[in-house]
Amino acid sequence: MRISGHIVVLAAALLLAGCNDKSGSAVMPPPVALNADAMGVFCGMNLVEHPGPKGQILTAGRIDPYWFSSARDAVAFTLMPDQPRDIRAIYVSDMGRAPNWDQPGETNWVDAKKAFFVIESRKRGGMGAAETVPFGDRAAADAFVAANGGRVVTFDAIPSNYVLGSDTPSASDHHGAAETRMN
């Protein structure tokens, strides 16, 4: 009887601890509509003035999103050790639902972790660099590859050197970013 009493107390303590858990069990906040006030974190420029896919990252410690003039910059942000680690959501423009390359859309966001990215295509991002072109649908990504070259990868398979440095991945960086990517 004494052991079962301890088990009940332990179970109650674990249950209460679970109620106070503020880790990854929270619901992802929704994306914010792209607007004229959105300024790129890295470039300090207005996002609506640049073509190509955009990105936004929502963190627990900030009310407004971190905005990115390219999806590539949003991915790079997750790899940089000096950036916030309290990421709650990463959204990128779903280019399969964008009006066109010059107008990537204001509300057609897709969860970056569920997106299909085209890398190594002929299309350049808003700042003229190689882009990670996101799509919410694999068929749309495949159609983009047929028209613009490149290859389709998932978020965790984007080579770190593709977003942090050179425009093309090296053979040694099949994907070294998975272990360091935040969230």
Side-chain angles (χ1 to χ4, degrees), residues 57-97:
I57 293 181
L58 302 165
T59 63
R62 184 174 157 143
I63 294 171
D64 296 322
Y66 287 95
W67 290 104
F68 301 91
S69 59
S70 71
R72 177 184 174 165
D73 285 352
V75 175
F77 185 90
T78 68
L79 295 169
M80 297 176 172
D82 56 335
Q83 298 302 336
R85 299 237 180 242
D86 60 344
I87 293 175
R88 296 188 58 217
I90 305 165
Y91 294 106
V92 288
S93 303
D94 180 350
M95 294 306 286
R97 297 187 303 135

PDB file of all heavy atoms in Angstrom, residues 57-97:
ATOM      1  N   ILE A  57       9.820  34.514 -39.912  1.00  0.00           N
ATOM      2  CA  ILE A  57      10.032  33.627 -38.772  1.00  0.00           C
ATOM      3  C   ILE A  57       9.407  34.272 -37.553  1.00  0.00           C
ATOM      4  O   ILE A  57       9.661  35.449 -37.256  1.00  0.00           O
ATOM      5  CB  ILE A  57      11.531  33.349 -38.550  1.00  0.00           C
ATOM      6  CG1 ILE A  57      12.081  32.538 -39.730  1.00  0.00           C
ATOM      7  CG2 ILE A  57      11.752  32.624 -37.222  1.00  0.00           C
ATOM      8  CD1 ILE A  57      13.547  32.180 -39.632  1.00  0.00           C
ATOM      9  N   LEU A  58       8.586  33.506 -36.867  1.00  0.00           N
ATOM     10  CA  LEU A  58       7.923  33.966 -35.654  1.00  0.00           C
ATOM     11  C   LEU A  58       8.603  33.310 -34.458  1.00  0.00           C
ATOM     12  O   LEU A  58       8.816  32.096 -34.449  1.00  0.00           O
ATOM     13  CB  LEU A  58       6.443  33.601 -35.695  1.00  0.00           C
ATOM     14  CG  LEU A  58       5.698  34.189 -36.908  1.00  0.00           C
ATOM     15  CD1 LEU A  58       4.361  33.507 -37.098  1.00  0.00           C
ATOM     16  CD2 LEU A  58       5.527  35.677 -36.748  1.00  0.00           C
ATOM     17  N   THR A  59       8.961  34.135 -33.478  1.00  0.00           N
ATOM     18  CA  THR A  59       9.631  33.634 -32.284  1.00  0.00           C
ATOM     19  C   THR A  59       8.789  33.927 -31.046  1.00  0.00           C
ATOM     20  O   THR A  59       7.900  34.785 -31.078  1.00  0.00           O
ATOM     21  CB  THR A  59      11.022  34.287 -32.113  1.00  0.00           C
ATOM     22  OG1 THR A  59      10.855  35.694 -31.929  1.00  0.00           O
ATOM     23  CG2 THR A  59      11.916  34.007 -33.300  1.00  0.00           C
ATOM     24  N   ALA A  60       9.102  33.246 -29.965  1.00  0.00           N
ATOM     25  CA  ALA A  60       8.389  33.449 -28.710  1.00  0.00           C
ATOM     26  C   ALA A  60       8.751  34.792 -28.083  1.00  0.00           C
ATOM     27  O   ALA A  60       7.934  35.394 -27.388  1.00  0.00           O
ATOM     28  CB  ALA A  60       8.703  32.315 -27.733  1.00  0.00           C
ATOM     29  N   GLY A  61       9.948  35.283 -28.350  1.00  0.00           N
ATOM     30  CA  GLY A  61      10.417  36.496 -27.694  1.00  0.00           C
ATOM     31  C   GLY A  61      10.163  37.789 -28.449  1.00  0.00           C
ATOM     32  O   GLY A  61      10.662  38.846 -28.062  1.00  0.00           O
ATOM     33  N   ARG A  62       9.386  37.736 -29.518  1.00  0.00           N
ATOM     34  CA  ARG A  62       9.168  38.941 -30.327  1.00  0.00           C
ATOM     35  C   ARG A  62       7.742  38.953 -30.847  1.00  0.00           C
ATOM     36  O   ARG A  62       7.230  37.924 -31.289  1.00  0.00           O
ATOM     37  CB  ARG A  62      10.175  38.924 -31.473  1.00  0.00           C
ATOM     38  CG  ARG A  62      10.154  40.126 -32.349  1.00  0.00           C
ATOM     39  CD  ARG A  62      11.290  40.030 -33.344  1.00  0.00           C
ATOM     40  NE  ARG A  62      10.986  40.845 -34.516  1.00  0.00           N
ATOM     41  CZ  ARG A  62      11.892  41.531 -35.165  1.00  0.00           C
ATOM     42  NH1 ARG A  62      13.150  41.487 -34.778  1.00  0.00           N
ATOM     43  NH2 ARG A  62      11.574  42.232 -36.218  1.00  0.00           N
ATOM     44  N   ILE A  63       7.101  40.117 -30.835  1.00  0.00           N
ATOM     45  CA  ILE A  63       5.720  40.228 -31.300  1.00  0.00           C
ATOM     46  C   ILE A  63       5.635  40.147 -32.813  1.00  0.00           C
ATOM     47  O   ILE A  63       4.821  39.412 -33.365  1.00  0.00           O
ATOM     48  CB  ILE A  63       5.089  41.545 -30.792  1.00  0.00           C
ATOM     49  CG1 ILE A  63       4.969  41.518 -29.279  1.00  0.00           C
ATOM     50  CG2 ILE A  63       3.736  41.781 -31.439  1.00  0.00           C
ATOM     51  CD1 ILE A  63       4.555  42.828 -28.658  1.00  0.00           C
ATOM     52  N   ASP A  64       6.474  40.929 -33.503  1.00  0.00           N
ATOM     53  CA  ASP A  64       6.463  40.964 -34.957  1.00  0.00           C
ATOM     54  C   ASP A  64       7.358  39.867 -35.522  1.00  0.00           C
ATOM     55  O   ASP A  64       8.325  39.468 -34.893  1.00  0.00           O
ATOM     56  CB  ASP A  64       6.976  42.316 -35.456  1.00  0.00           C
ATOM     57  CG  ASP A  64       6.075  43.466 -35.034  1.00  0.00           C
ATOM     58  OD1 ASP A  64       4.845  43.279 -35.033  1.00  0.00           O
ATOM     59  OD2 ASP A  64       6.611  44.543 -34.703  1.00  0.00           O
ATOM     60  N   PRO A  65       7.055  39.436 -36.758  1.00  0.00           N
ATOM     61  CA  PRO A  65       7.926  38.421 -37.362  1.00  0.00           C
ATOM     62  C   PRO A  65       9.260  39.016 -37.793  1.00  0.00           C
ATOM     63  O   PRO A  65       9.375  40.221 -38.020  1.00  0.00           O
ATOM     64  CB  PRO A  65       7.136  37.952 -38.586  1.00  0.00           C
ATOM     65  CG  PRO A  65       6.170  39.024 -38.889  1.00  0.00           C
ATOM     66  CD  PRO A  65       5.915  39.759 -37.610  1.00  0.00           C
ATOM     67  N   TYR A  66      10.246  38.160 -37.909  1.00  0.00           N
ATOM     68  CA  TYR A  66      11.476  38.507 -38.596  1.00  0.00           C
ATOM     69  C   TYR A  66      11.140  38.303 -40.071  1.00  0.00           C
ATOM     70  O   TYR A  66      10.689  37.227 -40.464  1.00  0.00           O
ATOM     71  CB  TYR A  66      12.623  37.569 -38.204  1.00  0.00           C
ATOM     72  CG  TYR A  66      13.170  37.794 -36.817  1.00  0.00           C
ATOM     73  CD1 TYR A  66      12.706  37.048 -35.742  1.00  0.00           C
ATOM     74  CD2 TYR A  66      14.160  38.744 -36.592  1.00  0.00           C
ATOM     75  CE1 TYR A  66      13.229  37.240 -34.470  1.00  0.00           C
ATOM     76  CE2 TYR A  66      14.689  38.944 -35.318  1.00  0.00           C
ATOM     77  CZ  TYR A  66      14.215  38.198 -34.265  1.00  0.00           C
ATOM     78  OH  TYR A  66      14.731  38.390 -33.010  1.00  0.00           O
ATOM     79  N   TRP A  67      11.330  39.329 -40.900  1.00  0.00           N
ATOM     80  CA  TRP A  67      11.015  39.249 -42.322  1.00  0.00           C
ATOM     81  C   TRP A  67      12.291  39.021 -43.134  1.00  0.00           C
ATOM     82  O   TRP A  67      13.355  39.517 -42.770  1.00  0.00           O
ATOM     83  CB  TRP A  67      10.364  40.548 -42.796  1.00  0.00           C
ATOM     84  CG  TRP A  67       8.991  40.776 -42.272  1.00  0.00           C
ATOM     85  CD1 TRP A  67       8.631  41.639 -41.266  1.00  0.00           C
ATOM     86  CD2 TRP A  67       7.778  40.160 -42.707  1.00  0.00           C
ATOM     87  NE1 TRP A  67       7.274  41.582 -41.058  1.00  0.00           N
ATOM     88  CE2 TRP A  67       6.722  40.682 -41.930  1.00  0.00           C
ATOM     89  CE3 TRP A  67       7.488  39.208 -43.670  1.00  0.00           C
ATOM     90  CZ2 TRP A  67       5.403  40.298 -42.102  1.00  0.00           C
ATOM     91  CZ3 TRP A  67       6.166  38.816 -43.835  1.00  0.00           C
ATOM     92  CH2 TRP A  67       5.145  39.359 -43.062  1.00  0.00           C
ATOM     93  N   PHE A  68      12.147  38.318 -44.253  1.00  0.00           N
ATOM     94  CA  PHE A  68      13.287  38.008 -45.110  1.00  0.00           C
ATOM     95  C   PHE A  68      12.926  38.285 -46.563  1.00  0.00           C
ATOM     96  O   PHE A  68      11.864  37.866 -47.026  1.00  0.00           O
ATOM     97  CB  PHE A  68      13.704  36.550 -44.933  1.00  0.00           C
ATOM     98  CG  PHE A  68      14.083  36.243 -43.507  1.00  0.00           C
ATOM     99  CD1 PHE A  68      13.136  35.786 -42.614  1.00  0.00           C
ATOM    100  CD2 PHE A  68      15.377  36.481 -43.059  1.00  0.00           C
ATOM    101  CE1 PHE A  68      13.470  35.540 -41.290  1.00  0.00           C
ATOM    102  CE2 PHE A  68      15.713  36.236 -41.739  1.00  0.00           C
ATOM    103  CZ  PHE A  68      14.762  35.771 -40.855  1.00  0.00           C
ATOM    104  N   SER A  69      13.831  38.959 -47.280  1.00  0.00           N
ATOM    105  CA  SER A  69      13.585  39.319 -48.681  1.00  0.00           C
ATOM    106  C   SER A  69      13.683  38.114 -49.609  1.00  0.00           C
ATOM    107  O   SER A  69      13.362  38.216 -50.786  1.00  0.00           O
ATOM    108  CB  SER A  69      14.543  40.420 -49.134  1.00  0.00           C
ATOM    109  OG  SER A  69      15.873  39.993 -48.989  1.00  0.00           O
ATOM    110  N   SER A  70      14.121  36.971 -49.071  1.00  0.00           N
ATOM    111  CA  SER A  70      14.152  35.732 -49.851  1.00  0.00           C
ATOM    112  C   SER A  70      13.910  34.551 -48.915  1.00  0.00           C
ATOM    113  O   SER A  70      14.199  34.623 -47.718  1.00  0.00           O
ATOM    114  CB  SER A  70      15.500  35.570 -50.563  1.00  0.00           C
ATOM    115  OG  SER A  70      16.516  35.283 -49.630  1.00  0.00           O
ATOM    116  N   ALA A  71      13.385  33.482 -49.483  1.00  0.00           N
ATOM    117  CA  ALA A  71      13.205  32.258 -48.691  1.00  0.00           C
ATOM    118  C   ALA A  71      14.568  31.732 -48.253  1.00  0.00           C
ATOM    119  O   ALA A  71      14.718  31.193 -47.159  1.00  0.00           O
ATOM    120  CB  ALA A  71      12.453  31.212 -49.509  1.00  0.00           C
ATOM    121  N   ARG A  72      15.556  31.903 -49.101  1.00  0.00           N
ATOM    122  CA  ARG A  72      16.917  31.462 -48.777  1.00  0.00           C
ATOM    123  C   ARG A  72      17.418  32.116 -47.493  1.00  0.00           C
ATOM    124  O   ARG A  72      18.029  31.467 -46.651  1.00  0.00           O
ATOM    125  CB  ARG A  72      17.849  31.796 -49.951  1.00  0.00           C
ATOM    126  CG  ARG A  72      19.295  31.456 -49.697  1.00  0.00           C
ATOM    127  CD  ARG A  72      20.171  31.885 -50.845  1.00  0.00           C
ATOM    128  NE  ARG A  72      21.575  31.668 -50.520  1.00  0.00           N
ATOM    129  CZ  ARG A  72      22.539  31.679 -51.391  1.00  0.00           C
ATOM    130  NH1 ARG A  72      22.273  31.897 -52.662  1.00  0.00           N
ATOM    131  NH2 ARG A  72      23.773  31.488 -51.019  1.00  0.00           N
ATOM    132  N   ASP A  73      17.167  33.417 -47.328  1.00  0.00           N
ATOM    133  CA  ASP A  73      17.593  34.113 -46.113  1.00  0.00           C
ATOM    134  C   ASP A  73      16.894  33.568 -44.867  1.00  0.00           C
ATOM    135  O   ASP A  73      17.495  33.480 -43.799  1.00  0.00           O
ATOM    136  CB  ASP A  73      17.338  35.612 -46.227  1.00  0.00           C
ATOM    137  CG  ASP A  73      18.327  36.315 -47.137  1.00  0.00           C
ATOM    138  OD1 ASP A  73      19.311  35.682 -47.581  1.00  0.00           O
ATOM    139  OD2 ASP A  73      18.108  37.515 -47.413  1.00  0.00           O
ATOM    140  N   ALA A  74      15.630  33.195 -45.004  1.00  0.00           N
ATOM    141  CA  ALA A  74      14.897  32.636 -43.859  1.00  0.00           C
ATOM    142  C   ALA A  74      15.534  31.307 -43.437  1.00  0.00           C
ATOM    143  O   ALA A  74      15.710  31.041 -42.245  1.00  0.00           O
ATOM    144  CB  ALA A  74      13.428  32.439 -44.210  1.00  0.00           C
ATOM    145  N   VAL A  75      15.895  30.482 -44.405  1.00  0.00           N
ATOM    146  CA  VAL A  75      16.555  29.212 -44.096  1.00  0.00           C
ATOM    147  C   VAL A  75      17.916  29.474 -43.457  1.00  0.00           C
ATOM    148  O   VAL A  75      18.280  28.847 -42.455  1.00  0.00           O
ATOM    149  CB  VAL A  75      16.689  28.330 -45.362  1.00  0.00           C
ATOM    150  CG1 VAL A  75      17.482  27.071 -45.064  1.00  0.00           C
ATOM    151  CG2 VAL A  75      15.314  27.974 -45.923  1.00  0.00           C
ATOM    152  N   ALA A  76      18.669  30.420 -44.005  1.00  0.00           N
ATOM    153  CA  ALA A  76      19.994  30.749 -43.462  1.00  0.00           C
ATOM    154  C   ALA A  76      19.894  31.196 -42.007  1.00  0.00           C
ATOM    155  O   ALA A  76      20.728  30.817 -41.176  1.00  0.00           O
ATOM    156  CB  ALA A  76      20.649  31.839 -44.309  1.00  0.00           C
ATOM    157  N   PHE A  77      18.882  31.969 -41.680  1.00  0.00           N
ATOM    158  CA  PHE A  77      18.675  32.458 -40.318  1.00  0.00           C
ATOM    159  C   PHE A  77      18.619  31.302 -39.315  1.00  0.00           C
ATOM    160  O   PHE A  77      19.149  31.393 -38.223  1.00  0.00           O
ATOM    161  CB  PHE A  77      17.367  33.262 -40.285  1.00  0.00           C
ATOM    162  CG  PHE A  77      17.051  33.937 -38.983  1.00  0.00           C
ATOM    163  CD1 PHE A  77      17.499  35.228 -38.740  1.00  0.00           C
ATOM    164  CD2 PHE A  77      16.258  33.323 -38.023  1.00  0.00           C
ATOM    165  CE1 PHE A  77      17.172  35.882 -37.564  1.00  0.00           C
ATOM    166  CE2 PHE A  77      15.940  33.962 -36.849  1.00  0.00           C
ATOM    167  CZ  PHE A  77      16.405  35.251 -36.614  1.00  0.00           C
ATOM    168  N   THR A  78      17.996  30.201 -39.722  1.00  0.00           N
ATOM    169  CA  THR A  78      17.850  29.047 -38.824  1.00  0.00           C
ATOM    170  C   THR A  78      19.171  28.325 -38.585  1.00  0.00           C
ATOM    171  O   THR A  78      19.277  27.525 -37.654  1.00  0.00           O
ATOM    172  CB  THR A  78      16.826  28.025 -39.357  1.00  0.00           C
ATOM    173  OG1 THR A  78      17.338  27.397 -40.531  1.00  0.00           O
ATOM    174  CG2 THR A  78      15.484  28.675 -39.640  1.00  0.00           C
ATOM    175  N   LEU A  79      20.162  28.585 -39.433  1.00  0.00           N
ATOM    176  CA  LEU A  79      21.462  27.918 -39.317  1.00  0.00           C
ATOM    177  C   LEU A  79      22.502  28.737 -38.566  1.00  0.00           C
ATOM    178  O   LEU A  79      23.561  28.223 -38.215  1.00  0.00           O
ATOM    179  CB  LEU A  79      22.001  27.598 -40.720  1.00  0.00           C
ATOM    180  CG  LEU A  79      21.185  26.596 -41.520  1.00  0.00           C
ATOM    181  CD1 LEU A  79      21.664  26.568 -42.963  1.00  0.00           C
ATOM    182  CD2 LEU A  79      21.257  25.229 -40.890  1.00  0.00           C
ATOM    183  N   MET A  80      22.228  29.991 -38.345  1.00  0.00           N
ATOM    184  CA  MET A  80      23.197  30.892 -37.732  1.00  0.00           C
ATOM    185  C   MET A  80      23.133  30.802 -36.213  1.00  0.00           C
ATOM    186  O   MET A  80      22.083  31.028 -35.622  1.00  0.00           O
ATOM    187  CB  MET A  80      22.940  32.323 -38.191  1.00  0.00           C
ATOM    188  CG  MET A  80      23.118  32.502 -39.662  1.00  0.00           C
ATOM    189  SD  MET A  80      22.686  34.185 -40.133  1.00  0.00           S
ATOM    190  CE  MET A  80      23.221  34.176 -41.819  1.00  0.00           C
ATOM    191  N   PRO A  81      24.246  30.490 -35.577  1.00  0.00           N
ATOM    192  CA  PRO A  81      24.243  30.278 -34.123  1.00  0.00           C
ATOM    193  C   PRO A  81      23.940  31.530 -33.306  1.00  0.00           C
ATOM    194  O   PRO A  81      23.472  31.423 -32.184  1.00  0.00           O
ATOM    195  CB  PRO A  81      25.656  29.770 -33.830  1.00  0.00           C
ATOM    196  CG  PRO A  81      26.478  30.229 -34.986  1.00  0.00           C
ATOM    197  CD  PRO A  81      25.556  30.287 -36.166  1.00  0.00           C
ATOM    198  N   ASP A  82      24.140  32.710 -33.862  1.00  0.00           N
ATOM    199  CA  ASP A  82      23.910  33.930 -33.099  1.00  0.00           C
ATOM    200  C   ASP A  82      22.481  34.469 -33.232  1.00  0.00           C
ATOM    201  O   ASP A  82      22.164  35.523 -32.707  1.00  0.00           O
ATOM    202  CB  ASP A  82      24.915  35.009 -33.508  1.00  0.00           C
ATOM    203  CG  ASP A  82      24.884  35.306 -34.998  1.00  0.00           C
ATOM    204  OD1 ASP A  82      24.479  34.428 -35.778  1.00  0.00           O
ATOM    205  OD2 ASP A  82      25.261  36.428 -35.380  1.00  0.00           O
ATOM    206  N   GLN A  83      21.609  33.746 -33.915  1.00  0.00           N
ATOM    207  CA  GLN A  83      20.216  34.177 -34.063  1.00  0.00           C
ATOM    208  C   GLN A  83      19.342  33.537 -32.982  1.00  0.00           C
ATOM    209  O   GLN A  83      19.722  32.535 -32.383  1.00  0.00           O
ATOM    210  CB  GLN A  83      19.701  33.807 -35.454  1.00  0.00           C
ATOM    211  CG  GLN A  83      20.458  34.472 -36.581  1.00  0.00           C
ATOM    212  CD  GLN A  83      20.437  35.993 -36.512  1.00  0.00           C
ATOM    213  OE1 GLN A  83      19.558  36.620 -35.928  1.00  0.00           O
ATOM    214  NE2 GLN A  83      21.458  36.603 -37.111  1.00  0.00           N
ATOM    215  N   PRO A  84      18.160  34.127 -32.731  1.00  0.00           N
ATOM    216  CA  PRO A  84      17.268  33.584 -31.698  1.00  0.00           C
ATOM    217  C   PRO A  84      16.943  32.106 -31.917  1.00  0.00           C
ATOM    218  O   PRO A  84      16.796  31.655 -33.048  1.00  0.00           O
ATOM    219  CB  PRO A  84      16.009  34.439 -31.849  1.00  0.00           C
ATOM    220  CG  PRO A  84      16.490  35.707 -32.456  1.00  0.00           C
ATOM    221  CD  PRO A  84      17.618  35.311 -33.366  1.00  0.00           C
ATOM    222  N   ARG A  85      16.841  31.388 -30.838  1.00  0.00           N
ATOM    223  CA  ARG A  85      16.551  29.948 -30.896  1.00  0.00           C
ATOM    224  C   ARG A  85      15.112  29.616 -30.490  1.00  0.00           C
ATOM    225  O   ARG A  85      14.734  28.457 -30.469  1.00  0.00           O
ATOM    226  CB  ARG A  85      17.511  29.196 -29.973  1.00  0.00           C
ATOM    227  CG  ARG A  85      18.955  29.383 -30.388  1.00  0.00           C
ATOM    228  CD  ARG A  85      19.576  28.047 -30.626  1.00  0.00           C
ATOM    229  NE  ARG A  85      20.944  28.177 -31.021  1.00  0.00           N
ATOM    230  CZ  ARG A  85      21.389  27.753 -32.194  1.00  0.00           C
ATOM    231  NH1 ARG A  85      20.593  27.182 -33.040  1.00  0.00           N
ATOM    232  NH2 ARG A  85      22.650  27.886 -32.499  1.00  0.00           N
ATOM    233  N   ASP A  86      14.336  30.640 -30.158  1.00  0.00           N
ATOM    234  CA  ASP A  86      12.962  30.394 -29.699  1.00  0.00           C
ATOM    235  C   ASP A  86      11.960  30.452 -30.858  1.00  0.00           C
ATOM    236  O   ASP A  86      10.863  30.967 -30.726  1.00  0.00           O
ATOM    237  CB  ASP A  86      12.587  31.371 -28.589  1.00  0.00           C
ATOM    238  CG  ASP A  86      12.645  32.837 -29.024  1.00  0.00           C
ATOM    239  OD1 ASP A  86      13.256  33.137 -30.077  1.00  0.00           O
ATOM    240  OD2 ASP A  86      12.074  33.682 -28.306  1.00  0.00           O
ATOM    241  N   ILE A  87      12.342  29.868 -31.982  1.00  0.00           N
ATOM    242  CA  ILE A  87      11.502  29.871 -33.178  1.00  0.00           C
ATOM    243  C   ILE A  87      10.238  29.052 -32.931  1.00  0.00           C
ATOM    244  O   ILE A  87      10.293  27.912 -32.494  1.00  0.00           O
ATOM    245  CB  ILE A  87      12.274  29.317 -34.393  1.00  0.00           C
ATOM    246  CG1 ILE A  87      13.406  30.270 -34.758  1.00  0.00           C
ATOM    247  CG2 ILE A  87      11.338  29.100 -35.576  1.00  0.00           C
ATOM    248  CD1 ILE A  87      14.304  29.762 -35.862  1.00  0.00           C
ATOM    249  N   ARG A  88       9.106  29.679 -33.242  1.00  0.00           N
ATOM    250  CA  ARG A  88       7.810  28.997 -33.115  1.00  0.00           C
ATOM    251  C   ARG A  88       7.256  28.589 -34.472  1.00  0.00           C
ATOM    252  O   ARG A  88       6.510  27.624 -34.572  1.00  0.00           O
ATOM    253  CB  ARG A  88       6.832  29.890 -32.375  1.00  0.00           C
ATOM    254  CG  ARG A  88       7.315  30.147 -30.933  1.00  0.00           C
ATOM    255  CD  ARG A  88       6.325  30.856 -30.064  1.00  0.00           C
ATOM    256  NE  ARG A  88       5.085  30.113 -29.977  1.00  0.00           N
ATOM    257  CZ  ARG A  88       3.891  30.710 -29.928  1.00  0.00           C
ATOM    258  NH1 ARG A  88       3.800  32.014 -29.934  1.00  0.00           N
ATOM    259  NH2 ARG A  88       2.790  29.986 -29.861  1.00  0.00           N
ATOM    260  N   ALA A  89       7.617  29.342 -35.521  1.00  0.00           N
ATOM    261  CA  ALA A  89       7.115  29.013 -36.861  1.00  0.00           C
ATOM    262  C   ALA A  89       8.021  29.641 -37.916  1.00  0.00           C
ATOM    263  O   ALA A  89       8.550  30.734 -37.711  1.00  0.00           O
ATOM    264  CB  ALA A  89       5.689  29.519 -37.039  1.00  0.00           C
ATOM    265  N   ILE A  90       8.168  28.927 -39.027  1.00  0.00           N
ATOM    266  CA  ILE A  90       8.924  29.413 -40.181  1.00  0.00           C
ATOM    267  C   ILE A  90       7.994  29.289 -41.385  1.00  0.00           C
ATOM    268  O   ILE A  90       7.559  28.185 -41.717  1.00  0.00           O
ATOM    269  CB  ILE A  90      10.193  28.581 -40.433  1.00  0.00           C
ATOM    270  CG1 ILE A  90      11.059  28.516 -39.189  1.00  0.00           C
ATOM    271  CG2 ILE A  90      10.971  29.140 -41.628  1.00  0.00           C
ATOM    272  CD1 ILE A  90      12.128  27.436 -39.248  1.00  0.00           C
ATOM    273  N   TYR A  91       7.696  30.420 -42.007  1.00  0.00           N
ATOM    274  CA  TYR A  91       6.828  30.419 -43.183  1.00  0.00           C
ATOM    275  C   TYR A  91       7.578  30.979 -44.380  1.00  0.00           C
ATOM    276  O   TYR A  91       8.395  31.893 -44.245  1.00  0.00           O
ATOM    277  CB  TYR A  91       5.571  31.267 -42.940  1.00  0.00           C
ATOM    278  CG  TYR A  91       4.652  30.701 -41.886  1.00  0.00           C
ATOM    279  CD1 TYR A  91       4.575  31.280 -40.633  1.00  0.00           C
ATOM    280  CD2 TYR A  91       3.865  29.590 -42.149  1.00  0.00           C
ATOM    281  CE1 TYR A  91       3.732  30.770 -39.657  1.00  0.00           C
ATOM    282  CE2 TYR A  91       3.019  29.065 -41.179  1.00  0.00           C
ATOM    283  CZ  TYR A  91       2.953  29.667 -39.935  1.00  0.00           C
ATOM    284  OH  TYR A  91       2.123  29.150 -38.972  1.00  0.00           O
ATOM    285  N   VAL A  92       7.286  30.437 -45.546  1.00  0.00           N
ATOM    286  CA  VAL A  92       7.857  30.901 -46.800  1.00  0.00           C
ATOM    287  C   VAL A  92       6.729  31.031 -47.817  1.00  0.00           C
ATOM    288  O   VAL A  92       5.684  30.399 -47.686  1.00  0.00           O
ATOM    289  CB  VAL A  92       8.955  29.940 -47.315  1.00  0.00           C
ATOM    290  CG1 VAL A  92      10.209  30.047 -46.456  1.00  0.00           C
ATOM    291  CG2 VAL A  92       8.464  28.502 -47.358  1.00  0.00           C
ATOM    292  N   SER A  93       6.957  31.858 -48.827  1.00  0.00           N
ATOM    293  CA  SER A  93       5.950  32.056 -49.881  1.00  0.00           C
ATOM    294  C   SER A  93       5.740  30.753 -50.639  1.00  0.00           C
ATOM    295  O   SER A  93       6.703  30.127 -51.076  1.00  0.00           O
ATOM    296  CB  SER A  93       6.429  33.115 -50.877  1.00  0.00           C
ATOM    297  OG  SER A  93       6.715  34.336 -50.248  1.00  0.00           O
ATOM    298  N   ASP A  94       4.484  30.363 -50.811  1.00  0.00           N
ATOM    299  CA  ASP A  94       4.166  29.203 -51.643  1.00  0.00           C
ATOM    300  C   ASP A  94       4.101  29.710 -53.075  1.00  0.00           C
ATOM    301  O   ASP A  94       3.107  30.301 -53.499  1.00  0.00           O
ATOM    302  CB  ASP A  94       2.834  28.587 -51.221  1.00  0.00           C
ATOM    303  CG  ASP A  94       2.442  27.370 -52.044  1.00  0.00           C
ATOM    304  OD1 ASP A  94       3.098  27.098 -53.081  1.00  0.00           O
ATOM    305  OD2 ASP A  94       1.476  26.695 -51.659  1.00  0.00           O
ATOM    306  N   MET A  95       5.183  29.521 -53.821  1.00  0.00           N
ATOM    307  CA  MET A  95       5.257  30.059 -55.177  1.00  0.00           C
ATOM    308  C   MET A  95       4.320  29.349 -56.153  1.00  0.00           C
ATOM    309  O   MET A  95       4.058  29.861 -57.234  1.00  0.00           O
ATOM    310  CB  MET A  95       6.695  30.047 -55.671  1.00  0.00           C
ATOM    311  CG  MET A  95       7.607  30.994 -54.885  1.00  0.00           C
ATOM    312  SD  MET A  95       7.016  32.715 -54.797  1.00  0.00           S
ATOM    313  CE  MET A  95       7.386  33.261 -56.466  1.00  0.00           C
ATOM    314  N   GLY A  96       3.789  28.210 -55.768  1.00  0.00           N
ATOM    315  CA  GLY A  96       2.785  27.537 -56.585  1.00  0.00           C
ATOM    316  C   GLY A  96       1.452  28.271 -56.544  1.00  0.00           C
ATOM    317  O   GLY A  96       0.610  28.098 -57.420  1.00  0.00           O
ATOM    318  N   ARG A  97       1.257  29.109 -55.542  1.00  0.00           N
ATOM    319  CA  ARG A  97       0.031  29.890 -55.410  1.00  0.00           C
ATOM    320  C   ARG A  97       0.291  31.387 -55.576  1.00  0.00           C
ATOM    321  O   ARG A  97      -0.595  32.203 -55.361  1.00  0.00           O
ATOM    322  CB  ARG A  97      -0.625  29.624 -54.053  1.00  0.00           C
ATOM    323  CG  ARG A  97      -1.070  28.177 -53.890  1.00  0.00           C
ATOM    324  CD  ARG A  97      -1.864  27.922 -52.621  1.00  0.00           C
ATOM    325  NE  ARG A  97      -1.132  28.314 -51.428  1.00  0.00           N
ATOM    326  CZ  ARG A  97      -1.648  29.004 -50.408  1.00  0.00           C
ATOM    327  NH1 ARG A  97      -2.889  29.398 -50.428  1.00  0.00           N
ATOM    328  NH2 ARG A  97      -0.919  29.306 -49.357  1.00  0.00           N
TER     329      ARG A  97
END
